Structure formats: C-alpha cells, structure tokens
Amino acid sequence: MNIVLLNPVEHHDLRVIAERGAAWGDAVNQVPVLPTEFEAAQRDYPIVFRRDAQGDFQALALLGLDPGENLFLDETRWTTRHVPALLARGPFSIGLHERDDGAREPMIHIDLDDPRVTRDRGVPLFRPHGGNAEMLDRMSELLRLIHVGHAAQAPMFAAFADAGLIEPVRLEIQLDDTLRYDLVDFHTIGAASLAALDGVALERLHRAGFLALAFHVVASLGNIERLIALKNRKRALG
C-alpha cells in the first residue's frame, strides 16, 4: 500500500475506476457495517454482531453463506440499493492530520498502489480548472459517514449492553436434505428484550440516538429469507 494525503496539486490528473465486482474486492460473504448506515443496510442485508480479536463487538452485514460468496453481486454490479460503505469507499480512507492549533482534522487519503487508481482511465477526481469532481464529493460524504460511524460504534454497543439487549443468535439454515448451514458465534438485538424495555431505558437509548438502530438490527434479520432465496436461485442455475 502507498497511502498518501490527497491533494489537487500532485493528484490533479488522478482517476479512479468505478467498476464493481470480484476483481475489486466485492466477493466477500460478510462485511463490517457502521451505525451510520444501519438504516440503509437493514433494507437489504441481515445485520449481526460478532466479537473481534480484541473482544469488542462489531456489526456485520451477511452477504453470502460460503466463503467468498456475495449473493448480492451480479458480476459487475450490486443488485442492492445500498453498497456497504467499507466496500464502496474503494481506495479512499480517512486519516487524521494535526493543524497548526494542535487539533486533529480528518482528511481524505488515497492508496496510490490500488489498481483502481490510474491516470488514463476511470472517473476524474478533480475538475480540469480546479475544484472537486462529482466522484470526490461523493467519496467525501461517504468517508464522513465512515468516520462518524466508527466513533459511534463503541458507545452504541455499550448502550445496548447496558440495556440488556445483546444476545447470542444461532442461524440454522436448511436448504435441502443434504445442505445445511449453522452460523454460530453471532449476536443480535433480542426482540423480546427490546419490547420489554421500560420508559426510562427507552428514553435513554432514544436520547443517545441508538433506539432506532436497535430496531433496524431486529428488522434486518428478516433478510435471512432473502439470503436463502438468492442461494437457492444460484444453486438452481448451477
């Protein structure tokens, strides 16, 4: 990787290939999703929780049942309304830079070694006579969503835990007499626990901005049936 601070002087002629597909890293069966995209993600994917190597919870969108399988990817396009932000960002990322006053400011970076970054094909990042091109404006907003989402993640899970909402879930998916998937080590928001919260707990979650997110996670599990239907269609096509 060669991640550098993006600037319009050195990088005025950079372009980024905006294609989607397995060649660009989209063929994965799960991807982290952030609180700032729960509302959009829950319309398309099941959202579950799993502990990372440090023991902290992270939210995941389930995209497939087998390794490297994205059932929402149709060769070079996604069939969903929402592409998870950590995949949609492509070669871009946020880095913190210290200003003259000592404050740390998030700024856009780009990986110059990413094969999507070119100078002769793809979508321009800057306008010929100055200013951001449309793609860079979109990426700026997406990276803001990621930056804010990362900051919200730990407080959100702490609030869910304090309210007694996080519980283990085992997803048992039987496709036929011989093919079965047992998805373990996942957690979710307990629907019954959420419904049983008293007014004080509900108000606390609402004021923190996390109540709607809990409902989005619960609603997202309805997409398990969609995942099964897509898997069965893929198997039927051979």
Side-chain angles (χ1 to χ4, degrees), residues 200-235:
V200 173
L202 287 170
E203 177 69 12
R204 186 180 301 118
L205 282 173
H206 175 67
R207 286 188 177 278
F210 301 139
L211 181 60
L213 302 184
F215 280 107
H216 291 327
V217 173
V218 172
S220 78
L221 293 184
N223 289 316
I224 292 290
E225 294 301 320
R226 184 182 182 192
L227 206 63
I228 293 171
L230 289 170
K231 182 65 172 179
N232 282 331
R233 186 175 72 179
K234 178 182 177 181
R235 295 174 68 218

mmCIF file of all heavy atoms in Angstrom, residues 200-235:
data_model
loop_
_atom_site.group_PDB
_atom_site.id
_atom_site.type_symbol
_atom_site.label_atom_id
_atom_site.label_comp_id
_atom_site.label_asym_id
_atom_site.label_seq_id
_atom_site.Cartn_x
_atom_site.Cartn_y
_atom_site.Cartn_z
ATOM 1 N N VAL A 200 -37.878 4.537 30.955
ATOM 2 C CA VAL A 200 -36.605 5.183 31.254
ATOM 3 C C VAL A 200 -35.518 4.668 30.317
ATOM 4 O O VAL A 200 -34.737 5.439 29.737
ATOM 5 C CB VAL A 200 -36.201 4.946 32.719
ATOM 6 C CG1 VAL A 200 -34.795 5.473 32.976
ATOM 7 C CG2 VAL A 200 -37.205 5.614 33.658
ATOM 8 N N ALA A 201 -35.469 3.342 30.134
ATOM 9 C CA ALA A 201 -34.448 2.753 29.263
ATOM 10 C C ALA A 201 -34.669 3.162 27.816
ATOM 11 O O ALA A 201 -33.708 3.451 27.082
ATOM 12 C CB ALA A 201 -34.470 1.235 29.401
ATOM 13 N N LEU A 202 -35.923 3.193 27.392
ATOM 14 C CA LEU A 202 -36.224 3.609 26.026
ATOM 15 C C LEU A 202 -35.814 5.062 25.791
ATOM 16 O O LEU A 202 -35.236 5.389 24.748
ATOM 17 C CB LEU A 202 -37.719 3.435 25.747
ATOM 18 C CG LEU A 202 -38.224 2.004 25.568
ATOM 19 C CD1 LEU A 202 -39.749 1.988 25.534
ATOM 20 C CD2 LEU A 202 -37.656 1.373 24.298
ATOM 21 N N GLU A 203 -36.113 5.905 26.758
ATOM 22 C CA GLU A 203 -35.762 7.319 26.630
ATOM 23 C C GLU A 203 -34.250 7.506 26.575
ATOM 24 O O GLU A 203 -33.739 8.318 25.794
ATOM 25 C CB GLU A 203 -36.349 8.104 27.802
ATOM 26 C CG GLU A 203 -35.990 9.585 27.824
ATOM 27 C CD GLU A 203 -36.642 10.374 26.687
ATOM 28 O OE1 GLU A 203 -37.549 9.831 26.026
ATOM 29 O OE2 GLU A 203 -36.231 11.533 26.470
ATOM 30 N N ARG A 204 -33.529 6.728 27.387
ATOM 31 C CA ARG A 204 -32.068 6.840 27.407
ATOM 32 C C ARG A 204 -31.485 6.450 26.040
ATOM 33 O O ARG A 204 -30.625 7.147 25.502
ATOM 34 C CB ARG A 204 -31.506 5.941 28.505
ATOM 35 C CG ARG A 204 -29.995 6.095 28.695
ATOM 36 C CD ARG A 204 -29.470 5.174 29.791
ATOM 37 N NE ARG A 204 -30.111 5.434 31.062
ATOM 38 C CZ ARG A 204 -30.857 4.543 31.724
ATOM 39 N NH1 ARG A 204 -31.053 3.337 31.220
ATOM 40 N NH2 ARG A 204 -31.402 4.858 32.870
ATOM 41 N N LEU A 205 -31.965 5.353 25.488
ATOM 42 C CA LEU A 205 -31.484 4.929 24.169
ATOM 43 C C LEU A 205 -31.865 5.930 23.079
ATOM 44 O O LEU A 205 -31.080 6.224 22.182
ATOM 45 C CB LEU A 205 -32.058 3.546 23.826
ATOM 46 C CG LEU A 205 -31.398 2.341 24.490
ATOM 47 C CD1 LEU A 205 -32.191 1.083 24.187
ATOM 48 C CD2 LEU A 205 -29.964 2.176 24.029
ATOM 49 N N HIS A 206 -33.086 6.445 23.180
ATOM 50 C CA HIS A 206 -33.551 7.398 22.176
ATOM 51 C C HIS A 206 -32.717 8.676 22.206
ATOM 52 O O HIS A 206 -32.291 9.177 21.152
ATOM 53 C CB HIS A 206 -35.021 7.721 22.407
ATOM 54 C CG HIS A 206 -35.547 8.788 21.493
ATOM 55 N ND1 HIS A 206 -35.673 8.611 20.134
ATOM 56 C CD2 HIS A 206 -35.967 10.063 21.755
ATOM 57 C CE1 HIS A 206 -36.151 9.713 19.589
ATOM 58 N NE2 HIS A 206 -36.332 10.608 20.541
ATOM 59 N N ARG A 207 -32.469 9.196 23.393
ATOM 60 C CA ARG A 207 -31.697 10.444 23.505
ATOM 61 C C ARG A 207 -30.266 10.267 23.016
ATOM 62 O O ARG A 207 -29.668 11.206 22.489
ATOM 63 C CB ARG A 207 -31.710 10.934 24.961
ATOM 64 C CG ARG A 207 -33.034 11.545 25.390
ATOM 65 C CD ARG A 207 -32.929 12.188 26.759
ATOM 66 N NE ARG A 207 -34.175 12.838 27.140
ATOM 67 C CZ ARG A 207 -34.523 14.062 26.740
ATOM 68 N NH1 ARG A 207 -33.705 14.766 25.975
ATOM 69 N NH2 ARG A 207 -35.663 14.584 27.128
ATOM 70 N N ALA A 208 -29.729 9.055 23.162
ATOM 71 C CA ALA A 208 -28.367 8.787 22.690
ATOM 72 C C ALA A 208 -28.330 8.537 21.183
ATOM 73 O O ALA A 208 -27.246 8.487 20.595
ATOM 74 C CB ALA A 208 -27.791 7.589 23.434
ATOM 75 N N GLY A 209 -29.497 8.380 20.580
ATOM 76 C CA GLY A 209 -29.562 8.136 19.138
ATOM 77 C C GLY A 209 -29.442 6.672 18.753
ATOM 78 O O GLY A 209 -29.229 6.359 17.573
ATOM 79 N N PHE A 210 -29.606 5.757 19.734
ATOM 80 C CA PHE A 210 -29.368 4.347 19.470
ATOM 81 C C PHE A 210 -30.641 3.503 19.401
ATOM 82 O O PHE A 210 -30.573 2.334 18.996
ATOM 83 C CB PHE A 210 -28.439 3.752 20.540
ATOM 84 C CG PHE A 210 -27.102 4.437 20.618
ATOM 85 C CD1 PHE A 210 -26.517 4.698 21.851
ATOM 86 C CD2 PHE A 210 -26.417 4.822 19.470
ATOM 87 C CE1 PHE A 210 -25.275 5.324 21.937
ATOM 88 C CE2 PHE A 210 -25.183 5.453 19.541
ATOM 89 C CZ PHE A 210 -24.615 5.708 20.773
ATOM 90 N N LEU A 211 -31.782 4.055 19.789
ATOM 91 C CA LEU A 211 -33.004 3.252 19.813
ATOM 92 C C LEU A 211 -33.397 2.801 18.411
ATOM 93 O O LEU A 211 -33.703 1.630 18.178
ATOM 94 C CB LEU A 211 -34.151 4.034 20.463
ATOM 95 C CG LEU A 211 -35.481 3.285 20.576
ATOM 96 C CD1 LEU A 211 -35.320 2.017 21.407
ATOM 97 C CD2 LEU A 211 -36.552 4.188 21.191
ATOM 98 N N ALA A 212 -33.389 3.735 17.464
ATOM 99 C CA ALA A 212 -33.747 3.376 16.088
ATOM 100 C C ALA A 212 -32.786 2.332 15.533
ATOM 101 O O ALA A 212 -33.198 1.432 14.785
ATOM 102 C CB ALA A 212 -33.752 4.620 15.203
ATOM 103 N N LEU A 213 -31.502 2.417 15.911
ATOM 104 C CA LEU A 213 -30.520 1.457 15.417
ATOM 105 C C LEU A 213 -30.835 0.052 15.906
ATOM 106 O O LEU A 213 -30.658 -0.928 15.168
ATOM 107 C CB LEU A 213 -29.114 1.868 15.851
ATOM 108 C CG LEU A 213 -28.639 3.251 15.405
ATOM 109 C CD1 LEU A 213 -27.191 3.483 15.823
ATOM 110 C CD2 LEU A 213 -28.773 3.415 13.896
ATOM 111 N N ALA A 214 -31.297 -0.069 17.152
ATOM 112 C CA ALA A 214 -31.679 -1.379 17.686
ATOM 113 C C ALA A 214 -32.827 -1.968 16.871
ATOM 114 O O ALA A 214 -32.821 -3.161 16.528
ATOM 115 C CB ALA A 214 -32.064 -1.252 19.157
ATOM 116 N N PHE A 215 -33.812 -1.140 16.539
ATOM 117 C CA PHE A 215 -34.941 -1.631 15.739
ATOM 118 C C PHE A 215 -34.482 -2.009 14.328
ATOM 119 O O PHE A 215 -34.991 -2.968 13.743
ATOM 120 C CB PHE A 215 -36.046 -0.574 15.684
ATOM 121 C CG PHE A 215 -36.907 -0.544 16.913
ATOM 122 C CD1 PHE A 215 -36.801 0.495 17.827
ATOM 123 C CD2 PHE A 215 -37.820 -1.554 17.162
ATOM 124 C CE1 PHE A 215 -37.587 0.523 18.965
ATOM 125 C CE2 PHE A 215 -38.627 -1.545 18.307
ATOM 126 C CZ PHE A 215 -38.506 -0.508 19.211
ATOM 127 N N HIS A 216 -33.522 -1.279 13.775
ATOM 128 C CA HIS A 216 -33.012 -1.621 12.443
ATOM 129 C C HIS A 216 -32.358 -3.006 12.449
ATOM 130 O O HIS A 216 -32.528 -3.786 11.500
ATOM 131 C CB HIS A 216 -31.984 -0.582 11.978
ATOM 132 C CG HIS A 216 -32.561 0.765 11.673
ATOM 133 N ND1 HIS A 216 -33.826 0.937 11.150
ATOM 134 C CD2 HIS A 216 -32.030 2.015 11.812
ATOM 135 C CE1 HIS A 216 -34.050 2.223 10.980
ATOM 136 N NE2 HIS A 216 -32.992 2.895 11.367
ATOM 137 N N VAL A 217 -31.606 -3.312 13.490
ATOM 138 C CA VAL A 217 -30.945 -4.616 13.578
ATOM 139 C C VAL A 217 -31.989 -5.733 13.657
ATOM 140 O O VAL A 217 -31.882 -6.748 12.955
ATOM 141 C CB VAL A 217 -29.998 -4.669 14.787
ATOM 142 C CG1 VAL A 217 -29.448 -6.078 14.989
ATOM 143 C CG2 VAL A 217 -28.850 -3.684 14.603
ATOM 144 N N VAL A 218 -32.993 -5.548 14.490
ATOM 145 C CA VAL A 218 -34.052 -6.558 14.612
ATOM 146 C C VAL A 218 -34.752 -6.763 13.267
ATOM 147 O O VAL A 218 -34.959 -7.893 12.807
ATOM 148 C CB VAL A 218 -35.065 -6.154 15.697
ATOM 149 C CG1 VAL A 218 -36.266 -7.100 15.684
ATOM 150 C CG2 VAL A 218 -34.402 -6.161 17.074
ATOM 151 N N ALA A 219 -35.098 -5.672 12.607
ATOM 152 C CA ALA A 219 -35.798 -5.770 11.322
ATOM 153 C C ALA A 219 -34.943 -6.438 10.259
ATOM 154 O O ALA A 219 -35.459 -7.148 9.386
ATOM 155 C CB ALA A 219 -36.211 -4.375 10.859
ATOM 156 N N SER A 220 -33.635 -6.250 10.324
ATOM 157 C CA SER A 220 -32.746 -6.765 9.277
ATOM 158 C C SER A 220 -32.744 -8.281 9.194
ATOM 159 O O SER A 220 -32.464 -8.852 8.131
ATOM 160 C CB SER A 220 -31.312 -6.261 9.507
ATOM 161 O OG SER A 220 -30.664 -7.005 10.536
ATOM 162 N N LEU A 221 -33.043 -8.956 10.303
ATOM 163 C CA LEU A 221 -32.981 -10.420 10.296
ATOM 164 C C LEU A 221 -34.039 -11.031 9.374
ATOM 165 O O LEU A 221 -33.925 -12.195 8.987
ATOM 166 C CB LEU A 221 -33.117 -10.967 11.716
ATOM 167 C CG LEU A 221 -31.951 -10.633 12.647
ATOM 168 C CD1 LEU A 221 -32.133 -11.307 13.991
ATOM 169 C CD2 LEU A 221 -30.616 -11.045 12.033
ATOM 170 N N GLY A 222 -35.044 -10.246 9.000
ATOM 171 C CA GLY A 222 -35.996 -10.721 8.001
ATOM 172 C C GLY A 222 -35.343 -10.983 6.659
ATOM 173 O O GLY A 222 -35.880 -11.731 5.827
ATOM 174 N N ASN A 223 -34.172 -10.398 6.431
ATOM 175 C CA ASN A 223 -33.459 -10.605 5.167
ATOM 176 C C ASN A 223 -32.769 -11.962 5.087
ATOM 177 O O ASN A 223 -32.215 -12.296 4.033
ATOM 178 C CB ASN A 223 -32.424 -9.498 4.957
ATOM 179 C CG ASN A 223 -33.070 -8.164 4.650
ATOM 180 O OD1 ASN A 223 -33.996 -8.080 3.866
ATOM 181 N ND2 ASN A 223 -32.569 -7.109 5.292
ATOM 182 N N ILE A 224 -32.788 -12.755 6.168
ATOM 183 C CA ILE A 224 -32.274 -14.126 6.095
ATOM 184 C C ILE A 224 -33.040 -14.899 5.022
ATOM 185 O O ILE A 224 -32.453 -15.660 4.246
ATOM 186 C CB ILE A 224 -32.402 -14.832 7.458
ATOM 187 C CG1 ILE A 224 -31.447 -14.198 8.486
ATOM 188 C CG2 ILE A 224 -32.132 -16.324 7.314
ATOM 189 C CD1 ILE A 224 -29.990 -14.470 8.232
ATOM 190 N N GLU A 225 -34.360 -14.701 4.951
ATOM 191 C CA GLU A 225 -35.159 -15.392 3.936
ATOM 192 C C GLU A 225 -34.730 -14.977 2.531
ATOM 193 O O GLU A 225 -34.706 -15.797 1.611
ATOM 194 C CB GLU A 225 -36.638 -15.089 4.147
ATOM 195 C CG GLU A 225 -37.211 -15.648 5.446
ATOM 196 C CD GLU A 225 -37.071 -17.163 5.526
ATOM 197 O OE1 GLU A 225 -37.270 -17.835 4.491
ATOM 198 O OE2 GLU A 225 -36.748 -17.657 6.621
ATOM 199 N N ARG A 226 -34.374 -13.720 2.365
ATOM 200 C CA ARG A 226 -33.898 -13.265 1.061
ATOM 201 C C ARG A 226 -32.568 -13.918 0.712
ATOM 202 O O ARG A 226 -32.330 -14.313 -0.432
ATOM 203 C CB ARG A 226 -33.759 -11.746 1.070
ATOM 204 C CG ARG A 226 -33.365 -11.150 -0.278
ATOM 205 C CD ARG A 226 -33.202 -9.653 -0.183
ATOM 206 N NE ARG A 226 -32.881 -9.077 -1.488
ATOM 207 C CZ ARG A 226 -32.472 -7.833 -1.657
ATOM 208 N NH1 ARG A 226 -32.347 -7.029 -0.612
ATOM 209 N NH2 ARG A 226 -32.189 -7.374 -2.862
ATOM 210 N N LEU A 227 -31.697 -14.046 1.711
ATOM 211 C CA LEU A 227 -30.407 -14.689 1.509
ATOM 212 C C LEU A 227 -30.604 -16.143 1.059
ATOM 213 O O LEU A 227 -29.927 -16.625 0.138
ATOM 214 C CB LEU A 227 -29.608 -14.634 2.810
ATOM 215 C CG LEU A 227 -28.076 -14.664 2.751
ATOM 216 C CD1 LEU A 227 -27.537 -13.448 2.018
ATOM 217 C CD2 LEU A 227 -27.505 -14.727 4.165
ATOM 218 N N ILE A 228 -31.543 -16.834 1.693
ATOM 219 C CA ILE A 228 -31.838 -18.221 1.331
ATOM 220 C C ILE A 228 -32.372 -18.306 -0.094
ATOM 221 O O ILE A 228 -31.960 -19.179 -0.874
ATOM 222 C CB ILE A 228 -32.845 -18.829 2.334
ATOM 223 C CG1 ILE A 228 -32.196 -18.955 3.713
ATOM 224 C CG2 ILE A 228 -33.346 -20.180 1.843
ATOM 225 C CD1 ILE A 228 -33.163 -19.334 4.814
ATOM 226 N N ALA A 229 -33.268 -17.397 -0.444
ATOM 227 C CA ALA A 229 -33.836 -17.409 -1.799
ATOM 228 C C ALA A 229 -32.756 -17.176 -2.847
ATOM 229 O O ALA A 229 -32.733 -17.829 -3.903
ATOM 230 C CB ALA A 229 -34.932 -16.355 -1.912
ATOM 231 N N LEU A 230 -31.849 -16.243 -2.582
ATOM 232 C CA LEU A 230 -30.761 -15.974 -3.525
ATOM 233 C C LEU A 230 -29.823 -17.172 -3.639
ATOM 234 O O LEU A 230 -29.335 -17.494 -4.734
ATOM 235 C CB LEU A 230 -29.985 -14.739 -3.081
ATOM 236 C CG LEU A 230 -30.705 -13.396 -3.243
ATOM 237 C CD1 LEU A 230 -29.922 -12.281 -2.542
ATOM 238 C CD2 LEU A 230 -30.910 -13.066 -4.710
ATOM 239 N N LYS A 231 -29.558 -17.847 -2.515
ATOM 240 C CA LYS A 231 -28.695 -19.022 -2.539
ATOM 241 C C LYS A 231 -29.351 -20.145 -3.359
ATOM 242 O O LYS A 231 -28.681 -20.809 -4.162
ATOM 243 C CB LYS A 231 -28.400 -19.485 -1.123
ATOM 244 C CG LYS A 231 -27.469 -20.686 -1.024
ATOM 245 C CD LYS A 231 -26.082 -20.364 -1.538
ATOM 246 C CE LYS A 231 -25.110 -21.511 -1.266
ATOM 247 N NZ LYS A 231 -23.758 -21.242 -1.760
ATOM 248 N N ASN A 232 -30.637 -20.361 -3.146
ATOM 249 C CA ASN A 232 -31.340 -21.405 -3.882
ATOM 250 C C ASN A 232 -31.378 -21.091 -5.384
ATOM 251 O O ASN A 232 -31.249 -21.994 -6.212
ATOM 252 C CB ASN A 232 -32.754 -21.589 -3.334
ATOM 253 C CG ASN A 232 -32.768 -22.394 -2.045
ATOM 254 O OD1 ASN A 232 -31.900 -23.244 -1.837
ATOM 255 N ND2 ASN A 232 -33.734 -22.130 -1.191
ATOM 256 N N ARG A 233 -31.535 -19.817 -5.730
ATOM 257 C CA ARG A 233 -31.542 -19.442 -7.140
ATOM 258 C C ARG A 233 -30.171 -19.687 -7.753
ATOM 259 O O ARG A 233 -30.071 -20.195 -8.889
ATOM 260 C CB ARG A 233 -31.937 -17.974 -7.297
ATOM 261 C CG ARG A 233 -32.105 -17.559 -8.769
ATOM 262 C CD ARG A 233 -32.618 -16.144 -8.878
ATOM 263 N NE ARG A 233 -31.596 -15.164 -8.523
ATOM 264 C CZ ARG A 233 -31.792 -13.856 -8.551
ATOM 265 N NH1 ARG A 233 -32.966 -13.358 -8.898
ATOM 266 N NH2 ARG A 233 -30.811 -13.021 -8.212
ATOM 267 N N LYS A 234 -29.109 -19.371 -7.022
ATOM 268 C CA LYS A 234 -27.757 -19.608 -7.524
ATOM 269 C C LYS A 234 -27.525 -21.105 -7.737
ATOM 270 O O LYS A 234 -26.936 -21.514 -8.750
ATOM 271 C CB LYS A 234 -26.734 -19.050 -6.532
ATOM 272 C CG LYS A 234 -25.284 -19.275 -6.933
ATOM 273 C CD LYS A 234 -24.327 -18.730 -5.876
ATOM 274 C CE LYS A 234 -22.876 -19.041 -6.261
ATOM 275 N NZ LYS A 234 -21.932 -18.541 -5.211
ATOM 276 N N ARG A 235 -27.990 -21.930 -6.797
ATOM 277 C CA ARG A 235 -27.802 -23.371 -6.932
ATOM 278 C C ARG A 235 -28.601 -23.919 -8.111
ATOM 279 O O ARG A 235 -28.119 -24.813 -8.819
ATOM 280 C CB ARG A 235 -28.229 -24.073 -5.628
ATOM 281 C CG ARG A 235 -27.363 -23.725 -4.440
ATOM 282 C CD ARG A 235 -27.927 -24.336 -3.169
ATOM 283 N NE ARG A 235 -27.806 -25.790 -3.196
ATOM 284 C CZ ARG A 235 -28.736 -26.608 -2.723
ATOM 285 N NH1 ARG A 235 -29.876 -26.130 -2.244
ATOM 286 N NH2 ARG A 235 -28.552 -27.910 -2.772
#
